[in-house]
Each structure stands twice: as C-alpha cells, then as structure tokens.
Amino acid sequence: MSGLAALIFDVDGTLADTERDGHRVAFNEAFARKGLDWHWSEALYGRLLEIPGGKERMRHFMRHYVYGEEPPADAAALITELHADKNRIYNQLFSEGRLGLRPGVDRLIREARAAGVPLAIATTSARENVLALLCHTLGTEAPGWFDPLASADEVPEKKPSPAVYEYVLARLGVDPGRCLVLEDSENGLRAARGAGLRTLITVNAYTRDGDYRDAELVLDHLGEPDRPFTILGGRSAGRAADRRYVDLDLLEGLTVDN
Ligand code: XBP
Ligand code: MG
C-alpha cells in the first residue's frame, strides 16, 4: 500500500510528446485545408507555446503575425472552425499510431493502479484531445482511471493559473502534501506550485531550458528498467541518485514528511 494520496498528471508533453509532432502538425494541416498560407515551423511553434490553449494560440498568431492588430470580428468563427479541424486531425495522428506515450508512463500508471493510488488529470487542453490520447494509447477504459479528469472544458482558466490544480485538489479532497504532480513545462510547474503541490518535471525539446528550481525532481523522462533516466536537477534530486526509473517508492520519497 503506497502512502501517496494521488498522482496528478499533466497531458501534453508529459504523457506524450504531443506538441511538435502532434498539435503543430495538425494545426498546419488544418490551415492548409482551409486554403491559408500559414505555417508554424518547429521554431515558431516553440515561441507560440508560451500561449496556452489552441484557440488562444491561434488568436495570438493572428494578432501578432497576420494582422499586426486585433483580428477582424469574424476571426472567432474561423478560429472555432480551425480548432475543430485541428482536433480531428490530431485524433487521427493517434489512431494511425504516429504518436505514443513517453518512456515509463504506461508502466507507472499501471503500477499506481495496481497499488490503488488515485490518479487525476490536470490539463489546459480540450477534453476531446485528452480522450483521443488516452483511448489510443492506454485503451478505451483509460479515461475512467482518472478522477477527476480536469481539462479546459471543466476549467477554462489556463495554466500558469493554479485554477485547474485547485479544482483537482478540491475534487480529490486529500492533503496536497501527499500528492505528486507530473508536468513538463514552466507554465505547468507554476500552476502546480500555485496550488501548493510538489512537482516532478520530465522535460522535452521545447521545455528543457525552463526554470525548474521549484521542482522536486527534473528528469529527461520517467525511465524504464532498460532505459534509465538522466537527472537534470530538482530540490530532492539526491533521492533519485541510485535509481534508474521512476516508481511509486521514489515518488513517495518526494512528498512531505519523507
Ligand atoms: C497544453 C497546451 C495546449 C495544447 C493544445 O498545455 O498548451 O494548448 O497545445 O490544446 P499543458 P488545445 O500541457 O500545460 O496542459 O488545442 O486542446 O487547446
Ligand atoms: Mg504540458
């Protein structure tokens, strides 16, 4: 029996490396299908990621890169249409097996389930995109493993606001000090810390240069027995020194009073 009260997972960048080869590719395909000559390169998308939320990101792009001023009144309808198209294409990328889980994610989730550790999700993304990811990678039952599954549909206020983590904590009704958050970005860390939660960061190509001094542990990924993680930092990094992969025992050691 684990002493962890809950594990709370971010989705994009944490469960799967979704941004560069997922959302970005799907945005570009949606733009092309609409006859727009917009193209988000990997480098540009890295800058646009500072704006959380797909619709918000498109509005920001139109404001700063297309019009140079507030987009026209009919932009909202175009954004809604493009976002729906992008999400359909994104779902298809998963159904074709072109996107998968990051190392250690499947193993850790299954270990937590076997030990009866409550699981939750806290993301800034639309619910339909979270369901696509979970169903195509972990199976159609997987959305039911996470309670609450908090997305932009339940909590529209985007990270770095702590709102989505506060919502999850209120629903879980547990001591925040005995929970652990898994995130991949600075915005995510700020959101979790704002809600008083301890955080493990697994970086990716877009987020590896962030400021994670406030995280318990910073890794390149969660690791597998045959594919060890690399420790990049964190206040409790010493606790991972002799480990190769993240398991419940290591995570419990990162919570308070351990
Ligand atoms: C995820 C995001 C989202 C996705 C696209 O952030 O920033 O905007 O890029 O999502 P986090 P939607 O991992 O911190 O939750 O298109 O569904 O809005
Ligand atoms: Mg993320």
Side-chain angles (χ1 to χ4, degrees), residues 8 12 21 24 29 42 44-45 52 85 96-97 99 111-113 126 144 149-150 155 170 178 190 224 236-237 251:
I8 310 171
D12 290 282
D21 302 328
R24 185 188 70 92
E29 179 62 25
E42 288 181 25
L44 171 59
Y45 196 66
D85 265 354
E96 290 167 358
L99 294 167
E111 187 193 353
R113 277 176 53 70
L149 192 165
V155 185
R178 290 180 50 236
R190 283 168 59 197
E224 294 283 17
S236 309
L251 293 180

Side-chain angles (χ1 to χ4, degrees), residues 138-162:
L138 290 164
T140 51
E141 308 281 298
W145 301 348
F146 300 88
D147 185 20
L149 192 165
S151 69
D153 293 43
E154 289 74 30
V155 185
E157 209 177 314
K158 306 275 194 290
K159 300 172 190 175
S161 159

Side-chain angles (χ1 to χ4, degrees), residues 10 12 19 23 45 53-54 57 83 86 123-126 129 159:
D10 169 49
D12 290 282
E19 296 293 6
H23 290 294
Y45 196 66
R57 194 167 298 143
H83 194 245
K86 185 275 284 182
T123 176
T124 278
S125 289
N129 293 330
K159 300 172 190 175

Side-chain angles (χ1 to χ4, degrees), residues 29-211:
E29 179 62 25
F31 300 155
R33 287 184 191 178
K34 189 68 188 166
L36 295 162
D37 65 353
W38 305 350
H39 179 82
W40 290 357
S41 68
E42 288 181 25
L44 171 59
Y45 196 66
R47 294 195 292 279
L48 293 175
L49 275 176
E50 281 169 31
I51 312 300
K55 287 183 180 168
E56 290 83 350
R57 194 167 298 143
M58 276 189 280
R59 172 164 287 280
H60 173 89
F61 175 77
M62 289 166 91
R63 166 79 181 78
H64 293 276
Y65 294 81
V66 179
Y67 295 102
E69 59 186 14
E70 266 315 299
D74 57 359
L78 175 62
I79 287 173
T80 301
E81 186 187 337
L82 288 169
H83 194 245
D85 265 354
K86 185 275 284 182
N87 291 350
R88 265 191 294 277
I89 298 161
Y90 178 77
N91 190 324
Q92 209 179 330
L93 292 175
F94 272 107
S95 69
E96 290 167 358
R98 289 168 62 184
L99 294 167
L101 297 175
R102 297 191 65 190
V105 169
D106 183 290
R107 176 185 51 72
L108 181 62
I109 287 173
R110 289 180 198 283
E111 187 193 353
R113 277 176 53 70
V117 175
L119 302 175
I121 276 179
T123 176
T124 278
S125 289
R127 190 174 184 89
E128 67 174 298
N129 293 330
V130 182
L131 298 183
L133 186 155
L134 293 176
C135 291
H136 287 301
T137 57
L138 290 164
T140 51
E141 308 281 298
W145 301 348
F146 300 88
D147 185 20
L149 192 165
S151 69
D153 293 43
E154 289 74 30
V155 185
E157 209 177 314
K158 306 275 194 290
K159 300 172 190 175
S161 159
V164 70
Y165 281 107
E166 286 164 351
Y167 172 90
V168 166
L169 274 178
R171 290 281 302 271
L172 285 169
V174 295
D175 171 6
R178 290 180 50 236
C179 299
L180 208 79
V181 169
L182 291 98
E183 270 283 358
D184 72 304
S185 71
E186 229 182 288
N187 270 350
L189 176 61
R190 283 168 59 197
R193 296 298 296 145
L197 288 157
R198 294 185 167 218
T199 307
L200 183 159
I201 298 283
T202 47
V203 299
N204 56 61
Y206 278 134
T207 66
R208 68 163 65 103
D209 295 327
D211 176 355

Side-chain angles (χ1 to χ4, degrees), residues 228-229 231 239-251:
F229 56 57
I231 300 172
R239 289 189 176 269
D242 57 347
R243 307 294 187 112
R244 296 168 65 83
Y245 58 91
V246 173
D247 59 8
L248 291 183
D249 183 58
L250 172 55
L251 293 180

